[in-house]
């Protein structure tokens, strides 16, 4: 298959992010032509002027539409793109210069209709961004999939760095209205349509999350809330490991209570775990502050996800209402 890449980027009120992303696309060492499709998702702070400034050096299209969420905006862009292979990126990503070459190399080595790439931290990131990046990519927290580790079972790409052929997009029906969770939902439908997915370990991006601790908690809480919904929609994809954050926080609470009564061993096991996490973060980041913050970030991650997962599981199992009625903030309305 001769691939022509269309880079699909939904944008919502983040013009300066678009500038950084386009600068990195402009610097790619990929020898073939490709196009960039920017979809402005009802933004009040438009990126059109910034997009126009790159037209001399990039084959680029710009569309403005009413706000309907990132999934629908990606569909909108792919429906209007010229390419036969789409690469979906978040606007807060920056690409290393070899990114497209790595994708092309992997597709030529072993073609696949859908791929995902890792999430990395650039040296320019703040300490909080680096700490959050660590816990989102570490084997000790998420199993390391976002950081480039091979999946146990089928790999589930994430839409901050995801490729999909036009054929797979059309047969699977594109992204749904749930957010977050629209990417694994699409992945499961891609599998049902008969296509495979694969991790491209060297096609990484620098995911420059504009985030603070409160936003991070809200984000991971939504991740936890979404997973039981996906398990209900796609029953064969549920895994016992999805319960780990909930059990981790419950166990930590019990360990703290037991330590009050002189039973220290359970709490010491948690201290051992966080010590290993701290040392691993220190080795990878070479920064003491990042390593200490990584412990705090892990606690937020497990707490937010664990509470969200447990609450969502209980509501879905003991309520007759549909997910959209129970969790309206997780769904964008149809336009």
């Amino acid at each position: 298959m001769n691939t022509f890449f269309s880079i699909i980027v939904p944008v919502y009120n983040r013009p300066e992010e678009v500038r950084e992303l386009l600068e990195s696309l402009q610097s790619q060492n990929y020898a073939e032509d490709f196009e960039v499709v920017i979809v402005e998702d009802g933004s009040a702070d438009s990126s059109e002027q910034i997009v126009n400034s790159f037209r001399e050096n990039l084959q680029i299209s710009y569309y403005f539409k009413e706000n309907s969420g990132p999934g629908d905006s990606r569909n909108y862009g792919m429906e209007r793109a010229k390419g036969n292979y789409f690469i979906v990126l978040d606007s807060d990503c920056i690409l290393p210069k070899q990114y497209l070459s790595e994708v092309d190399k992997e597709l030529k080595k072993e073609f696949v209709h859908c791929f995902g790439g890792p999430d990395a931290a650039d040296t320019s990131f703040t300490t909080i961004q680096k700490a959050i990046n660590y816990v989102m990519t570490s084997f000790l927290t998420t199993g390391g999939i976002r950081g480039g580790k091979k999946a146990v079972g089928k790999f589930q790409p994430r839409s901050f760095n995801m490729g999909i052929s036009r054929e797979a997009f059309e047969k699977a029906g594109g992204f749904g209205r749930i957010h977050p969770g629209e990417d694994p939902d699409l992945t499961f439908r891609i599998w049902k349509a008969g296509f495979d997915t694969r991790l491209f370990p060297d096609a990484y991006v620098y995911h420059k999350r504009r985030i603070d601790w409160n936003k991070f908690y809200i984000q991971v809480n939504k991740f936890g809330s979404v997973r039981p919904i996906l398990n209900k929609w796609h029953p064969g994809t549920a895994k016992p490991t999805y319960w780990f954050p909930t059990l981790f926080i419950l166990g930590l609470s019990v360990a703290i209570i037991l330590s009050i009564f002189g039973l220290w061993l359970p709490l010491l096991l948690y201290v051992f775990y966080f010590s290993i996490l701290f040392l691993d973060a220190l080795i990878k980041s070479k920064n003491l502050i990042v390593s200490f913050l990584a412990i705090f970030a892990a606690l937020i991650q497990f707490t937010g996800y664990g509470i969200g997962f447990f609450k969502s599981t209980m509501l879905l199992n003991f309520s007759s209402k549909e997910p959209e009625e129970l969790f309206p903030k997780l769904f964008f309305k149809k336009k």
Side-chain angles (χ1 to χ4, degrees):
M1 179 180 180
N2 293 320
T3 52
F4 178 74
F5 295 127
S6 292
I7 317 294
I8 312 297
V9 185
V11 184
Y12 183 68
N13 287 334
R14 291 182 171 183
E16 288 307 314
E17 283 185 354
V18 174
R19 184 192 302 278
E20 290 182 300
L21 174 56
L22 293 179
E23 286 173 349
S24 68
L25 281 166
Q26 190 175 253
S27 301
Q28 292 295 296
N29 62 14
Y30 181 61
E32 305 299 325
D33 290 336
F34 64 92
E35 71 163 340
V36 183
V37 180
I38 304 294
V39 181
E40 193 89 63
D41 186 24
S43 301
D45 193 0
S46 172
S47 60
E48 184 174 12
Q49 187 174 349
I50 287 173
V51 170
N52 288 338
S53 69
F54 286 86
R55 290 191 183 278
E56 288 188 9
N57 298 311
L58 289 172
Q59 185 177 331
I60 192 165
S61 301
Y62 172 87
Y63 298 97
F64 184 93
K65 52 177 278 300
E66 288 186 58
N67 178 250
S68 59
D72 187 58
S73 296
R74 295 178 189 119
N75 294 341
Y76 186 96
M78 288 186 278
E79 288 164 358
R80 288 156 179 77
K82 302 180 181 72
N84 58 5
Y85 208 102
F86 308 128
I87 296 177
V88 180
L89 302 171
D90 279 355
S91 62
D92 58 356
C93 289
I94 301 172
L95 308 186
K97 65 180 180 179
Q98 74 278 8
Y99 174 83
L100 287 176
S101 296
E102 290 293 343
V103 171
D104 184 59
K105 182 174 70 175
E106 288 281 355
L107 289 174
K108 286 178 178 176
K109 181 175 68 175
E110 181 186 349
F111 184 83
V112 69
H113 282 273
C114 181
F115 77 86
D119 176 349
D122 187 57
T123 55
S124 66
F125 285 14
T126 66
T127 53
I128 292 178
Q129 286 174 327
K130 289 176 181 177
I132 290 175
N133 180 269
Y134 170 80
V135 299
M136 292 294 285
T137 60
S138 174
F139 177 79
L140 296 172
T141 51
T142 62
I145 300 305
R146 286 175 178 248
K149 299 294 183 183
K150 294 293 184 182
V152 178
K154 288 186 176 183
F155 175 67
Q156 299 177 26
R158 293 293 183 266
S159 54
F160 68 88
N161 180 11
M162 179 181 188
I164 178 172
S165 70
R166 179 179 289 275
E167 181 183 355
F169 164 70
E170 291 174 349
K171 288 188 177 180
F175 291 95
R177 293 183 296 109
I178 193 169
H179 177 72
E182 70 274 17
D183 30 15
D185 174 53
L186 174 57
T187 296
F188 299 149
R189 287 186 281 109
I190 286 171
W191 293 346
K192 289 178 182 177
F195 301 103
D196 289 327
T197 56
R198 185 158 64 87
L199 171 69
F200 288 6
D202 294 321
Y204 60 88
V205 302
Y206 300 119
H207 200 179
K208 196 173 184 178
R209 298 175 180 87
R210 266 61 169 187
I211 202 164
D212 56 32
W213 296 122
N214 183 58
K215 290 179 181 177
F216 183 51
Y217 177 86
I218 293 171
Q219 182 184 62
V220 293
N221 183 259
K222 286 183 176 180
F223 288 160
S225 299
V226 158
R227 182 54 68 176
I229 298 173
L230 298 177
N231 292 344
K232 182 177 181 178
W233 289 350
H234 310 280
T237 65
K239 297 178 182 179
T241 51
Y242 295 148
W243 277 98
F244 175 76
T246 303
L247 297 176
F248 183 94
I249 292 302
L250 179 62
L252 179 58
S253 301
V254 172
I256 292 171
I257 293 171
L258 290 175
S259 69
I260 296 173
F261 296 97
L263 298 173
W264 289 94
L265 181 58
L267 187 59
L268 289 174
L269 292 175
Y270 277 91
V271 171
F272 177 74
Y273 167 79
F274 284 116
S275 298
I276 296 297
L277 188 144
F278 172 83
L279 290 173
D280 185 60
L282 183 61
I283 291 169
K284 288 181 170 62
S285 69
K286 299 178 176 59
N287 187 306
L288 275 172
I289 297 175
V290 170
S291 304
F292 280 114
L293 290 177
I295 296 173
F296 185 59
L299 282 169
I300 292 176
Q301 182 185 53
F302 289 143
T303 302
Y305 189 102
I307 291 173
F309 184 87
F310 180 78
K311 180 180 178 181
S312 179
T313 299
M314 293 300 103
L315 287 173
L316 288 170
N317 283 308
F318 295 103
S319 173
S320 60
K321 294 182 178 180
E322 290 299 313
E324 289 188 50
E325 296 179 86
L326 293 170
F327 308 99
K329 292 184 179 180
L330 297 179
F331 292 86
F332 279 89
K333 295 181 180 179
K334 292 181 180 179
K335 293 292 182 180

